[in-house]
Amino acid sequence: MNRYARIVCNPLLTLCAGFSLAGCTHNAMVHSNLVYTDWQLIEIGGKATAATTEGRLPSLNLSEKTGGAQGSGGCNRYAAKFTQSGESLSFSAPLASKMGCASAVNQLEMAFFEALRAVATQRIKGDQLELRDDQGELLMRLQAKAGSAQ
Protein backbone atom coordinates (compact mmCIF):
# COMPACT_ATOMS: atom_id res chain seq x y z
CA MET A 1 0.00 0.00 0.00
CA ASN A 2 1.47 3.35 -0.93
CA ARG A 3 1.60 6.34 1.40
CA TYR A 4 -1.15 8.17 -0.48
CA ALA A 5 -3.56 5.27 0.00
CA ARG A 6 -2.76 5.12 3.71
CA ILE A 7 -3.23 8.88 4.15
CA VAL A 8 -6.57 8.75 2.36
CA CYS A 9 -7.69 5.68 4.29
CA ASN A 10 -6.86 6.74 7.83
CA PRO A 11 -9.42 9.61 7.99
CA LEU A 12 -11.98 7.28 6.46
CA LEU A 13 -11.75 4.43 8.94
CA THR A 14 -15.50 4.30 9.41
CA LEU A 15 -15.97 4.02 5.66
CA CYS A 16 -13.28 1.33 5.41
CA ALA A 17 -15.13 -0.80 7.94
CA GLY A 18 -18.34 -0.73 5.95
CA PHE A 19 -17.17 -0.62 2.34
CA SER A 20 -14.55 -2.39 0.28
CA LEU A 21 -12.21 0.42 -0.73
CA ALA A 22 -8.85 -0.28 -2.41
CA GLY A 23 -6.05 -0.14 0.13
CA CYS A 24 -8.42 -0.19 3.11
CA THR A 25 -8.28 -3.84 4.04
CA HIS A 26 -8.20 -4.89 7.67
CA ASN A 27 -4.67 -6.21 7.15
CA ALA A 28 -3.42 -2.83 5.89
CA MET A 29 -4.84 -1.05 8.92
CA VAL A 30 -3.24 -3.53 11.34
CA HIS A 31 0.20 -3.02 9.80
CA SER A 32 0.06 0.73 9.28
CA ASN A 33 1.91 1.48 12.53
CA LEU A 34 4.60 -1.15 12.04
CA VAL A 35 5.54 -0.36 8.44
CA TYR A 36 6.48 3.01 6.99
CA THR A 37 7.37 4.34 10.45
CA ASP A 38 10.91 5.40 11.34
CA TRP A 39 11.75 3.51 14.53
CA GLN A 40 14.77 4.51 16.64
CA LEU A 41 16.41 2.23 19.21
CA ILE A 42 15.91 3.35 22.83
CA GLU A 43 16.67 0.11 24.72
CA ILE A 44 18.58 -3.06 23.96
CA GLY A 45 19.29 -5.99 26.26
CA GLY A 46 17.48 -4.21 29.09
CA LYS A 47 19.72 -1.13 28.86
CA ALA A 48 18.76 2.33 27.64
CA THR A 49 20.75 3.58 24.66
CA ALA A 50 22.32 6.99 24.20
CA ALA A 51 23.23 8.76 20.96
CA THR A 52 26.54 7.58 19.57
CA THR A 53 29.50 9.87 19.07
CA GLU A 54 28.41 10.07 15.44
CA GLY A 55 25.03 11.31 16.72
CA ARG A 56 23.02 8.36 15.41
CA LEU A 57 21.21 5.51 17.07
CA PRO A 58 20.28 2.28 15.34
CA SER A 59 17.03 2.66 13.43
CA LEU A 60 14.53 0.52 11.57
CA ASN A 61 12.05 1.20 8.78
CA LEU A 62 9.92 -1.53 7.20
CA SER A 63 8.41 -1.36 3.72
CA GLU A 64 5.35 -3.51 3.16
CA LYS A 65 5.66 -2.97 -0.59
CA THR A 66 9.19 -4.40 -0.89
CA GLY A 67 9.26 -6.64 2.19
CA GLY A 68 12.48 -4.88 3.08
CA ALA A 69 13.86 -3.45 6.31
CA GLN A 70 16.49 -0.75 6.33
CA GLY A 71 18.08 1.81 8.57
CA SER A 72 21.24 2.61 10.44
CA GLY A 73 23.08 0.29 12.78
CA GLY A 74 24.44 3.41 14.49
CA CYS A 75 27.43 3.54 12.17
CA ASN A 76 26.60 1.69 8.96
CA ARG A 77 23.50 1.65 6.79
CA TYR A 78 21.91 -1.80 6.49
CA ALA A 79 19.18 -3.63 4.63
CA ALA A 80 17.39 -6.92 5.33
CA LYS A 81 14.22 -8.74 4.38
CA PHE A 82 11.41 -9.24 6.87
CA THR A 83 8.46 -11.59 7.23
CA GLN A 84 5.47 -10.53 9.29
CA SER A 85 2.16 -12.17 10.16
CA GLY A 86 0.13 -10.89 13.10
CA GLU A 87 2.58 -10.46 15.97
CA SER A 88 5.16 -12.78 14.36
CA LEU A 89 8.11 -10.95 12.83
CA SER A 90 11.48 -12.17 11.61
CA PHE A 91 14.41 -10.69 9.72
CA SER A 92 17.05 -12.07 7.39
CA ALA A 93 20.67 -11.36 8.29
CA PRO A 94 21.25 -7.66 7.63
CA LEU A 95 23.67 -6.61 4.89
CA ALA A 96 25.58 -3.52 6.00
CA SER A 97 28.09 -1.07 4.65
CA LYS A 98 31.60 -1.36 6.13
CA MET A 99 32.47 2.08 7.55
CA GLY A 100 34.76 2.19 10.54
CA CYS A 101 33.43 3.72 13.75
CA ALA A 102 34.44 4.10 17.38
CA SER A 103 34.54 0.88 19.41
CA ALA A 104 31.43 1.71 21.48
CA VAL A 105 29.46 2.45 18.30
CA ASN A 106 30.61 -0.82 16.71
CA GLN A 107 29.61 -2.77 19.83
CA LEU A 108 26.12 -1.23 19.83
CA GLU A 109 25.73 -1.92 16.12
CA MET A 110 26.81 -5.56 16.49
CA ALA A 111 24.38 -6.03 19.40
CA PHE A 112 21.59 -4.43 17.32
CA PHE A 113 22.23 -6.69 14.31
CA GLU A 114 22.43 -9.77 16.56
CA ALA A 115 19.14 -8.85 18.26
CA LEU A 116 17.50 -8.15 14.90
CA ARG A 117 18.32 -11.70 13.72
CA ALA A 118 16.77 -13.12 16.93
CA VAL A 119 13.43 -11.29 16.63
CA ALA A 120 10.38 -13.58 16.64
CA THR A 121 7.52 -11.28 17.68
CA GLN A 122 6.60 -7.62 17.76
CA ARG A 123 4.14 -5.52 19.71
CA ILE A 124 3.38 -1.82 19.46
CA LYS A 125 2.53 0.04 22.66
CA GLY A 126 1.69 3.67 21.94
CA ASP A 127 4.66 5.08 20.04
CA GLN A 128 7.03 2.25 21.04
CA LEU A 129 7.82 -1.01 19.27
CA GLU A 130 8.87 -4.01 21.36
CA LEU A 131 10.81 -6.76 19.62
CA ARG A 132 11.03 -10.11 21.43
CA ASP A 133 12.73 -13.46 20.83
CA ASP A 134 11.00 -16.84 20.47
CA GLN A 135 10.99 -17.23 24.28
CA GLY A 136 9.15 -13.91 24.74
CA GLU A 137 12.20 -12.10 26.14
CA LEU A 138 12.45 -8.42 25.27
CA LEU A 139 15.38 -7.93 22.89
CA MET A 140 14.93 -4.24 22.19
CA ARG A 141 12.53 -1.35 22.32
CA LEU A 142 12.30 1.30 19.61
CA GLN A 143 10.45 4.59 19.54
CA ALA A 144 8.71 6.16 16.57
CA LYS A 145 10.67 9.20 15.45
CA ALA A 146 8.77 12.48 15.61
CA GLY A 147 7.25 13.28 12.24
CA SER A 148 7.47 9.75 10.85
CA ALA A 149 4.40 8.40 9.07
CA GLN A 150 2.34 6.32 11.48
PDB file of all heavy atoms in Angstrom, residues 111-145:
ATOM      1  N   ALA A 111      25.457  -5.557  18.525  1.00  0.00           N
ATOM      2  CA  ALA A 111      24.378  -6.028  19.400  1.00  0.00           C
ATOM      3  C   ALA A 111      23.023  -5.839  18.721  1.00  0.00           C
ATOM      4  O   ALA A 111      22.143  -6.703  18.806  1.00  0.00           O
ATOM      5  CB  ALA A 111      24.419  -5.294  20.730  1.00  0.00           C
ATOM      6  N   PHE A 112      22.838  -4.709  18.026  1.00  0.00           N
ATOM      7  CA  PHE A 112      21.590  -4.426  17.319  1.00  0.00           C
ATOM      8  C   PHE A 112      21.360  -5.455  16.211  1.00  0.00           C
ATOM      9  O   PHE A 112      20.276  -6.031  16.102  1.00  0.00           O
ATOM     10  CB  PHE A 112      21.618  -3.006  16.751  1.00  0.00           C
ATOM     11  CG  PHE A 112      20.416  -2.645  15.935  1.00  0.00           C
ATOM     12  CD1 PHE A 112      19.189  -2.423  16.546  1.00  0.00           C
ATOM     13  CD2 PHE A 112      20.503  -2.513  14.565  1.00  0.00           C
ATOM     14  CE1 PHE A 112      18.065  -2.077  15.801  1.00  0.00           C
ATOM     15  CE2 PHE A 112      19.395  -2.169  13.804  1.00  0.00           C
ATOM     16  CZ  PHE A 112      18.174  -1.945  14.423  1.00  0.00           C
ATOM     17  N   PHE A 113      22.380  -5.721  15.398  1.00  0.00           N
ATOM     18  CA  PHE A 113      22.234  -6.686  14.308  1.00  0.00           C
ATOM     19  C   PHE A 113      21.973  -8.096  14.852  1.00  0.00           C
ATOM     20  O   PHE A 113      21.174  -8.844  14.307  1.00  0.00           O
ATOM     21  CB  PHE A 113      23.461  -6.686  13.399  1.00  0.00           C
ATOM     22  CG  PHE A 113      23.605  -5.442  12.551  1.00  0.00           C
ATOM     23  CD1 PHE A 113      24.845  -5.065  12.079  1.00  0.00           C
ATOM     24  CD2 PHE A 113      22.514  -4.646  12.226  1.00  0.00           C
ATOM     25  CE1 PHE A 113      24.997  -3.933  11.287  1.00  0.00           C
ATOM     26  CE2 PHE A 113      22.642  -3.511  11.443  1.00  0.00           C
ATOM     27  CZ  PHE A 113      23.897  -3.150  10.975  1.00  0.00           C
ATOM     28  N   GLU A 114      22.644  -8.456  15.930  1.00  0.00           N
ATOM     29  CA  GLU A 114      22.428  -9.771  16.556  1.00  0.00           C
ATOM     30  C   GLU A 114      20.993  -9.882  17.070  1.00  0.00           C
ATOM     31  O   GLU A 114      20.318 -10.900  16.873  1.00  0.00           O
ATOM     32  CB  GLU A 114      23.422  -9.973  17.697  1.00  0.00           C
ATOM     33  CG  GLU A 114      23.330 -11.331  18.346  1.00  0.00           C
ATOM     34  CD  GLU A 114      24.361 -11.509  19.450  1.00  0.00           C
ATOM     35  OE1 GLU A 114      25.505 -11.045  19.294  1.00  0.00           O
ATOM     36  OE2 GLU A 114      24.004 -12.130  20.470  1.00  0.00           O
ATOM     37  N   ALA A 115      20.514  -8.849  17.738  1.00  0.00           N
ATOM     38  CA  ALA A 115      19.145  -8.851  18.260  1.00  0.00           C
ATOM     39  C   ALA A 115      18.136  -8.897  17.117  1.00  0.00           C
ATOM     40  O   ALA A 115      17.126  -9.597  17.202  1.00  0.00           O
ATOM     41  CB  ALA A 115      18.912  -7.624  19.139  1.00  0.00           C
ATOM     42  N   LEU A 116      18.399  -8.170  16.052  1.00  0.00           N
ATOM     43  CA  LEU A 116      17.498  -8.153  14.896  1.00  0.00           C
ATOM     44  C   LEU A 116      17.314  -9.565  14.339  1.00  0.00           C
ATOM     45  O   LEU A 116      16.199  -9.971  14.018  1.00  0.00           O
ATOM     46  CB  LEU A 116      18.053  -7.201  13.830  1.00  0.00           C
ATOM     47  CG  LEU A 116      17.096  -6.627  12.814  1.00  0.00           C
ATOM     48  CD1 LEU A 116      16.004  -5.807  13.472  1.00  0.00           C
ATOM     49  CD2 LEU A 116      17.843  -5.777  11.806  1.00  0.00           C
ATOM     50  N   ARG A 117      18.396 -10.317  14.245  1.00  0.00           N
ATOM     51  CA  ARG A 117      18.318 -11.698  13.722  1.00  0.00           C
ATOM     52  C   ARG A 117      17.545 -12.621  14.656  1.00  0.00           C
ATOM     53  O   ARG A 117      17.026 -13.646  14.229  1.00  0.00           O
ATOM     54  CB  ARG A 117      19.715 -12.248  13.469  1.00  0.00           C
ATOM     55  CG  ARG A 117      20.397 -11.629  12.271  1.00  0.00           C
ATOM     56  CD  ARG A 117      21.673 -12.356  11.899  1.00  0.00           C
ATOM     57  NE  ARG A 117      22.671 -12.380  12.960  1.00  0.00           N
ATOM     58  CZ  ARG A 117      23.618 -11.460  13.132  1.00  0.00           C
ATOM     59  NH1 ARG A 117      23.688 -10.434  12.321  1.00  0.00           N
ATOM     60  NH2 ARG A 117      24.480 -11.575  14.117  1.00  0.00           N
ATOM     61  N   ALA A 118      17.446 -12.266  15.948  1.00  0.00           N
ATOM     62  CA  ALA A 118      16.767 -13.122  16.930  1.00  0.00           C
ATOM     63  C   ALA A 118      15.294 -12.775  17.107  1.00  0.00           C
ATOM     64  O   ALA A 118      14.576 -13.480  17.818  1.00  0.00           O
ATOM     65  CB  ALA A 118      17.477 -13.019  18.282  1.00  0.00           C
ATOM     66  N   VAL A 119      14.819 -11.722  16.468  1.00  0.00           N
ATOM     67  CA  VAL A 119      13.425 -11.287  16.632  1.00  0.00           C
ATOM     68  C   VAL A 119      12.464 -12.371  16.168  1.00  0.00           C
ATOM     69  O   VAL A 119      12.641 -12.969  15.106  1.00  0.00           O
ATOM     70  CB  VAL A 119      13.163  -9.973  15.865  1.00  0.00           C
ATOM     71  CG1 VAL A 119      11.668  -9.645  15.804  1.00  0.00           C
ATOM     72  CG2 VAL A 119      13.935  -8.818  16.497  1.00  0.00           C
ATOM     73  N   ALA A 120      11.433 -12.623  16.991  1.00  0.00           N
ATOM     74  CA  ALA A 120      10.385 -13.581  16.645  1.00  0.00           C
ATOM     75  C   ALA A 120       9.001 -12.943  16.701  1.00  0.00           C
ATOM     76  O   ALA A 120       8.094 -13.367  15.985  1.00  0.00           O
ATOM     77  CB  ALA A 120      10.433 -14.786  17.577  1.00  0.00           C
ATOM     78  N   THR A 121       8.826 -11.937  17.569  1.00  0.00           N
ATOM     79  CA  THR A 121       7.521 -11.278  17.680  1.00  0.00           C
ATOM     80  C   THR A 121       7.702  -9.780  17.864  1.00  0.00           C
ATOM     81  O   THR A 121       8.763  -9.307  18.286  1.00  0.00           O
ATOM     82  CB  THR A 121       6.692 -11.810  18.871  1.00  0.00           C
ATOM     83  OG1 THR A 121       7.360 -11.509  20.090  1.00  0.00           O
ATOM     84  CG2 THR A 121       6.425 -13.303  18.745  1.00  0.00           C
ATOM     85  N   GLN A 122       6.628  -9.061  17.574  1.00  0.00           N
ATOM     86  CA  GLN A 122       6.602  -7.616  17.756  1.00  0.00           C
ATOM     87  C   GLN A 122       5.296  -7.211  18.411  1.00  0.00           C
ATOM     88  O   GLN A 122       4.278  -7.883  18.276  1.00  0.00           O
ATOM     89  CB  GLN A 122       6.780  -6.890  16.418  1.00  0.00           C
ATOM     90  CG  GLN A 122       5.725  -7.231  15.356  1.00  0.00           C
ATOM     91  CD  GLN A 122       4.401  -6.498  15.478  1.00  0.00           C
ATOM     92  OE1 GLN A 122       4.329  -5.417  16.050  1.00  0.00           O
ATOM     93  NE2 GLN A 122       3.353  -7.080  14.935  1.00  0.00           N
ATOM     94  N   ARG A 123       5.349  -6.093  19.124  1.00  0.00           N
ATOM     95  CA  ARG A 123       4.141  -5.522  19.712  1.00  0.00           C
ATOM     96  C   ARG A 123       4.343  -4.017  19.793  1.00  0.00           C
ATOM     97  O   ARG A 123       5.387  -3.546  20.231  1.00  0.00           O
ATOM     98  CB  ARG A 123       3.889  -6.080  21.102  1.00  0.00           C
ATOM     99  CG  ARG A 123       2.626  -5.456  21.736  1.00  0.00           C
ATOM    100  CD  ARG A 123       2.275  -6.057  23.065  1.00  0.00           C
ATOM    101  NE  ARG A 123       2.041  -7.483  22.874  1.00  0.00           N
ATOM    102  CZ  ARG A 123       2.211  -8.378  23.823  1.00  0.00           C
ATOM    103  NH1 ARG A 123       2.610  -8.031  25.021  1.00  0.00           N
ATOM    104  NH2 ARG A 123       1.976  -9.652  23.600  1.00  0.00           N
ATOM    105  N   ILE A 124       3.333  -3.281  19.390  1.00  0.00           N
ATOM    106  CA  ILE A 124       3.382  -1.821  19.465  1.00  0.00           C
ATOM    107  C   ILE A 124       2.573  -1.375  20.666  1.00  0.00           C
ATOM    108  O   ILE A 124       1.433  -1.789  20.844  1.00  0.00           O
ATOM    109  CB  ILE A 124       2.846  -1.183  18.169  1.00  0.00           C
ATOM    110  CG1 ILE A 124       3.750  -1.566  16.998  1.00  0.00           C
ATOM    111  CG2 ILE A 124       2.746   0.332  18.318  1.00  0.00           C
ATOM    112  CD1 ILE A 124       3.234  -1.148  15.650  1.00  0.00           C
ATOM    113  N   LYS A 125       3.190  -0.557  21.502  1.00  0.00           N
ATOM    114  CA  LYS A 125       2.530   0.041  22.662  1.00  0.00           C
ATOM    115  C   LYS A 125       2.694   1.542  22.542  1.00  0.00           C
ATOM    116  O   LYS A 125       3.790   2.063  22.766  1.00  0.00           O
ATOM    117  CB  LYS A 125       3.156  -0.450  23.972  1.00  0.00           C
ATOM    118  CG  LYS A 125       2.901  -1.906  24.260  1.00  0.00           C
ATOM    119  CD  LYS A 125       3.479  -2.280  25.606  1.00  0.00           C
ATOM    120  CE  LYS A 125       3.144  -3.714  25.948  1.00  0.00           C
ATOM    121  NZ  LYS A 125       3.676  -4.070  27.274  1.00  0.00           N
ATOM    122  N   GLY A 126       1.611   2.228  22.159  1.00  0.00           N
ATOM    123  CA  GLY A 126       1.688   3.672  21.943  1.00  0.00           C
ATOM    124  C   GLY A 126       2.635   3.977  20.809  1.00  0.00           C
ATOM    125  O   GLY A 126       2.450   3.499  19.695  1.00  0.00           O
ATOM    126  N   ASP A 127       3.702   4.737  21.087  1.00  0.00           N
ATOM    127  CA  ASP A 127       4.664   5.077  20.044  1.00  0.00           C
ATOM    128  C   ASP A 127       5.946   4.258  20.181  1.00  0.00           C
ATOM    129  O   ASP A 127       6.990   4.629  19.659  1.00  0.00           O
ATOM    130  CB  ASP A 127       4.970   6.571  20.047  1.00  0.00           C
ATOM    131  CG  ASP A 127       5.665   7.043  21.317  1.00  0.00           C
ATOM    132  OD1 ASP A 127       5.748   6.262  22.295  1.00  0.00           O
ATOM    133  OD2 ASP A 127       6.125   8.194  21.332  1.00  0.00           O
ATOM    134  N   GLN A 128       5.866   3.115  20.870  1.00  0.00           N
ATOM    135  CA  GLN A 128       7.034   2.254  21.035  1.00  0.00           C
ATOM    136  C   GLN A 128       6.788   0.874  20.443  1.00  0.00           C
ATOM    137  O   GLN A 128       5.679   0.332  20.515  1.00  0.00           O
ATOM    138  CB  GLN A 128       7.417   2.129  22.513  1.00  0.00           C
ATOM    139  CG  GLN A 128       7.893   3.445  23.091  1.00  0.00           C
ATOM    140  CD  GLN A 128       8.433   3.291  24.493  1.00  0.00           C
ATOM    141  OE1 GLN A 128       8.408   2.224  25.100  1.00  0.00           O
ATOM    142  NE2 GLN A 128       8.943   4.392  25.024  1.00  0.00           N
ATOM    143  N   LEU A 129       7.833   0.320  19.870  1.00  0.00           N
ATOM    144  CA  LEU A 129       7.817  -1.008  19.273  1.00  0.00           C
ATOM    145  C   LEU A 129       8.695  -1.922  20.117  1.00  0.00           C
ATOM    146  O   LEU A 129       9.865  -1.621  20.342  1.00  0.00           O
ATOM    147  CB  LEU A 129       8.355  -0.935  17.834  1.00  0.00           C
ATOM    148  CG  LEU A 129       8.609  -2.248  17.103  1.00  0.00           C
ATOM    149  CD1 LEU A 129       7.313  -3.036  16.919  1.00  0.00           C
ATOM    150  CD2 LEU A 129       9.276  -1.972  15.758  1.00  0.00           C
ATOM    151  N   GLU A 130       8.116  -3.013  20.605  1.00  0.00           N
ATOM    152  CA  GLU A 130       8.870  -4.010  21.361  1.00  0.00           C
ATOM    153  C   GLU A 130       9.153  -5.191  20.448  1.00  0.00           C
ATOM    154  O   GLU A 130       8.240  -5.724  19.819  1.00  0.00           O
ATOM    155  CB  GLU A 130       8.078  -4.502  22.571  1.00  0.00           C
ATOM    156  CG  GLU A 130       7.837  -3.463  23.623  1.00  0.00           C
ATOM    157  CD  GLU A 130       7.049  -3.996  24.812  1.00  0.00           C
ATOM    158  OE1 GLU A 130       6.507  -5.124  24.742  1.00  0.00           O
ATOM    159  OE2 GLU A 130       6.966  -3.265  25.810  1.00  0.00           O
ATOM    160  N   LEU A 131      10.410  -5.603  20.390  1.00  0.00           N
ATOM    161  CA  LEU A 131      10.811  -6.763  19.617  1.00  0.00           C
ATOM    162  C   LEU A 131      11.320  -7.829  20.584  1.00  0.00           C
ATOM    163  O   LEU A 131      12.192  -7.558  21.406  1.00  0.00           O
ATOM    164  CB  LEU A 131      11.895  -6.380  18.599  1.00  0.00           C
ATOM    165  CG  LEU A 131      11.462  -5.331  17.572  1.00  0.00           C
ATOM    166  CD1 LEU A 131      12.629  -4.971  16.654  1.00  0.00           C
ATOM    167  CD2 LEU A 131      10.267  -5.805  16.767  1.00  0.00           C
ATOM    168  N   ARG A 132      10.730  -9.028  20.488  1.00  0.00           N
ATOM    169  CA  ARG A 132      11.026 -10.113  21.426  1.00  0.00           C
ATOM    170  C   ARG A 132      11.520 -11.348  20.680  1.00  0.00           C
ATOM    171  O   ARG A 132      11.223 -11.540  19.505  1.00  0.00           O
ATOM    172  CB  ARG A 132       9.781 -10.464  22.229  1.00  0.00           C
ATOM    173  CG  ARG A 132       9.316  -9.299  23.103  1.00  0.00           C
ATOM    174  CD  ARG A 132       8.052  -9.633  23.895  1.00  0.00           C
ATOM    175  NE  ARG A 132       7.662  -8.503  24.702  1.00  0.00           N
ATOM    176  CZ  ARG A 132       8.103  -8.275  25.947  1.00  0.00           C
ATOM    177  NH1 ARG A 132       8.907  -9.135  26.516  1.00  0.00           N
ATOM    178  NH2 ARG A 132       7.711  -7.205  26.603  1.00  0.00           N
ATOM    179  N   ASP A 133      12.242 -12.211  21.413  1.00  0.00           N
ATOM    180  CA  ASP A 133      12.731 -13.456  20.830  1.00  0.00           C
ATOM    181  C   ASP A 133      11.658 -14.535  20.912  1.00  0.00           C
ATOM    182  O   ASP A 133      10.538 -14.285  21.384  1.00  0.00           O
ATOM    183  CB  ASP A 133      14.049 -13.890  21.477  1.00  0.00           C
ATOM    184  CG  ASP A 133      13.917 -14.279  22.943  1.00  0.00           C
ATOM    185  OD1 ASP A 133      12.782 -14.486  23.445  1.00  0.00           O
ATOM    186  OD2 ASP A 133      14.966 -14.387  23.602  1.00  0.00           O
ATOM    187  N   ASP A 134      11.998 -15.754  20.495  1.00  0.00           N
ATOM    188  CA  ASP A 134      11.005 -16.836  20.473  1.00  0.00           C
ATOM    189  C   ASP A 134      10.632 -17.341  21.860  1.00  0.00           C
ATOM    190  O   ASP A 134       9.695 -18.119  22.004  1.00  0.00           O
ATOM    191  CB  ASP A 134      11.472 -17.989  19.578  1.00  0.00           C
ATOM    192  CG  ASP A 134      12.794 -18.599  20.004  1.00  0.00           C
ATOM    193  OD1 ASP A 134      13.400 -18.133  21.008  1.00  0.00           O
ATOM    194  OD2 ASP A 134      13.239 -19.539  19.338  1.00  0.00           O
ATOM    195  N   GLN A 135      11.331 -16.905  22.898  1.00  0.00           N
ATOM    196  CA  GLN A 135      10.986 -17.229  24.281  1.00  0.00           C
ATOM    197  C   GLN A 135      10.175 -16.117  24.946  1.00  0.00           C
ATOM    198  O   GLN A 135       9.836 -16.214  26.124  1.00  0.00           O
ATOM    199  CB  GLN A 135      12.262 -17.480  25.097  1.00  0.00           C
ATOM    200  CG  GLN A 135      13.125 -18.599  24.544  1.00  0.00           C
ATOM    201  CD  GLN A 135      12.411 -19.935  24.555  1.00  0.00           C
ATOM    202  OE1 GLN A 135      11.852 -20.344  25.577  1.00  0.00           O
ATOM    203  NE2 GLN A 135      12.404 -20.622  23.429  1.00  0.00           N
ATOM    204  N   GLY A 136       9.912 -15.033  24.204  1.00  0.00           N
ATOM    205  CA  GLY A 136       9.150 -13.913  24.739  1.00  0.00           C
ATOM    206  C   GLY A 136       9.990 -12.881  25.471  1.00  0.00           C
ATOM    207  O   GLY A 136       9.456 -11.920  26.025  1.00  0.00           O
ATOM    208  N   GLU A 137      11.316 -13.054  25.473  1.00  0.00           N
ATOM    209  CA  GLU A 137      12.204 -12.102  26.138  1.00  0.00           C
ATOM    210  C   GLU A 137      12.360 -10.840  25.292  1.00  0.00           C
ATOM    211  O   GLU A 137      12.560 -10.930  24.077  1.00  0.00           O
ATOM    212  CB  GLU A 137      13.583 -12.726  26.377  1.00  0.00           C
ATOM    213  CG  GLU A 137      13.577 -13.874  27.346  1.00  0.00           C
ATOM    214  CD  GLU A 137      13.201 -13.465  28.759  1.00  0.00           C
ATOM    215  OE1 GLU A 137      13.643 -12.394  29.214  1.00  0.00           O
ATOM    216  OE2 GLU A 137      12.462 -14.231  29.409  1.00  0.00           O
ATOM    217  N   LEU A 138      12.293  -9.694  25.958  1.00  0.00           N
ATOM    218  CA  LEU A 138      12.453  -8.421  25.267  1.00  0.00           C
ATOM    219  C   LEU A 138      13.885  -8.266  24.789  1.00  0.00           C
ATOM    220  O   LEU A 138      14.819  -8.295  25.593  1.00  0.00           O
ATOM    221  CB  LEU A 138      12.078  -7.259  26.194  1.00  0.00           C
ATOM    222  CG  LEU A 138      12.175  -5.861  25.592  1.00  0.00           C
ATOM    223  CD1 LEU A 138      11.172  -5.688  24.444  1.00  0.00           C
ATOM    224  CD2 LEU A 138      11.940  -4.808  26.667  1.00  0.00           C
ATOM    225  N   LEU A 139      14.056  -8.142  23.472  1.00  0.00           N
ATOM    226  CA  LEU A 139      15.380  -7.928  22.890  1.00  0.00           C
ATOM    227  C   LEU A 139      15.699  -6.438  22.829  1.00  0.00           C
ATOM    228  O   LEU A 139      16.781  -6.011  23.191  1.00  0.00           O
ATOM    229  CB  LEU A 139      15.441  -8.499  21.472  1.00  0.00           C
ATOM    230  CG  LEU A 139      15.289 -10.000  21.346  1.00  0.00           C
ATOM    231  CD1 LEU A 139      15.069 -10.405  19.903  1.00  0.00           C
ATOM    232  CD2 LEU A 139      16.513 -10.693  21.926  1.00  0.00           C
ATOM    233  N   MET A 140      14.729  -5.675  22.328  1.00  0.00           N
ATOM    234  CA  MET A 140      14.932  -4.239  22.187  1.00  0.00           C
ATOM    235  C   MET A 140      13.610  -3.512  22.087  1.00  0.00           C
ATOM    236  O   MET A 140      12.581  -4.092  21.780  1.00  0.00           O
ATOM    237  CB  MET A 140      15.830  -3.928  20.997  1.00  0.00           C
ATOM    238  CG  MET A 140      15.354  -4.422  19.662  1.00  0.00           C
ATOM    239  SD  MET A 140      16.592  -4.050  18.396  1.00  0.00           S
ATOM    240  CE  MET A 140      16.409  -5.471  17.340  1.00  0.00           C
ATOM    241  N   ARG A 141      13.695  -2.240  22.392  1.00  0.00           N
ATOM    242  CA  ARG A 141      12.535  -1.352  22.319  1.00  0.00           C
ATOM    243  C   ARG A 141      12.942  -0.169  21.432  1.00  0.00           C
ATOM    244  O   ARG A 141      14.034   0.381  21.594  1.00  0.00           O
ATOM    245  CB  ARG A 141      12.160  -0.879  23.718  1.00  0.00           C
ATOM    246  CG  ARG A 141      10.879  -0.101  23.811  1.00  0.00           C
ATOM    247  CD  ARG A 141      10.574   0.375  25.240  1.00  0.00           C
ATOM    248  NE  ARG A 141      10.957  -0.551  26.299  1.00  0.00           N
ATOM    249  CZ  ARG A 141      10.177  -1.506  26.798  1.00  0.00           C
ATOM    250  NH1 ARG A 141       8.967  -1.677  26.333  1.00  0.00           N
ATOM    251  NH2 ARG A 141      10.599  -2.283  27.783  1.00  0.00           N
ATOM    252  N   LEU A 142      12.048   0.182  20.516  1.00  0.00           N
ATOM    253  CA  LEU A 142      12.296   1.303  19.609  1.00  0.00           C
ATOM    254  C   LEU A 142      11.161   2.298  19.747  1.00  0.00           C
ATOM    255  O   LEU A 142      10.039   1.917  20.088  1.00  0.00           O
ATOM    256  CB  LEU A 142      12.402   0.811  18.161  1.00  0.00           C
ATOM    257  CG  LEU A 142      13.546  -0.176  17.903  1.00  0.00           C
ATOM    258  CD1 LEU A 142      13.044  -1.603  17.915  1.00  0.00           C
ATOM    259  CD2 LEU A 142      14.220   0.126  16.593  1.00  0.00           C
ATOM    260  N   GLN A 143      11.454   3.540  19.457  1.00  0.00           N
ATOM    261  CA  GLN A 143      10.447   4.587  19.540  1.00  0.00           C
ATOM    262  C   GLN A 143      10.253   5.212  18.174  1.00  0.00           C
ATOM    263  O   GLN A 143      11.222   5.422  17.436  1.00  0.00           O
ATOM    264  CB  GLN A 143      10.875   5.677  20.528  1.00  0.00           C
ATOM    265  CG  GLN A 143       9.897   6.830  20.603  1.00  0.00           C
ATOM    266  CD  GLN A 143       9.688   7.289  22.020  1.00  0.00           C
ATOM    267  OE1 GLN A 143      10.365   6.853  22.940  1.00  0.00           O
ATOM    268  NE2 GLN A 143       8.748   8.167  22.182  1.00  0.00           N
ATOM    269  N   ALA A 144       8.990   5.499  17.839  1.00  0.00           N
ATOM    270  CA  ALA A 144       8.707   6.157  16.567  1.00  0.00           C
ATOM    271  C   ALA A 144       9.333   7.552  16.608  1.00  0.00           C
ATOM    272  O   ALA A 144       9.187   8.283  17.581  1.00  0.00           O
ATOM    273  CB  ALA A 144       7.208   6.266  16.353  1.00  0.00           C
ATOM    274  N   LYS A 145      10.060   7.878  15.544  1.00  0.00           N
ATOM    275  CA  LYS A 145      10.666   9.202  15.453  1.00  0.00           C
ATOM    276  C   LYS A 145       9.576  10.231  15.214  1.00  0.00           C
ATOM    277  O   LYS A 145       8.613   9.976  14.480  1.00  0.00           O
ATOM    278  CB  LYS A 145      11.671   9.266  14.310  1.00  0.00           C
ATOM    279  CG  LYS A 145      12.928   8.473  14.540  1.00  0.00           C
ATOM    280  CD  LYS A 145      13.865   8.672  13.388  1.00  0.00           C
ATOM    281  CE  LYS A 145      15.078   7.789  13.481  1.00  0.00           C
ATOM    282  NZ  LYS A 145      15.960   7.968  12.309  1.00  0.00           N
TER     283      LYS A 145
END
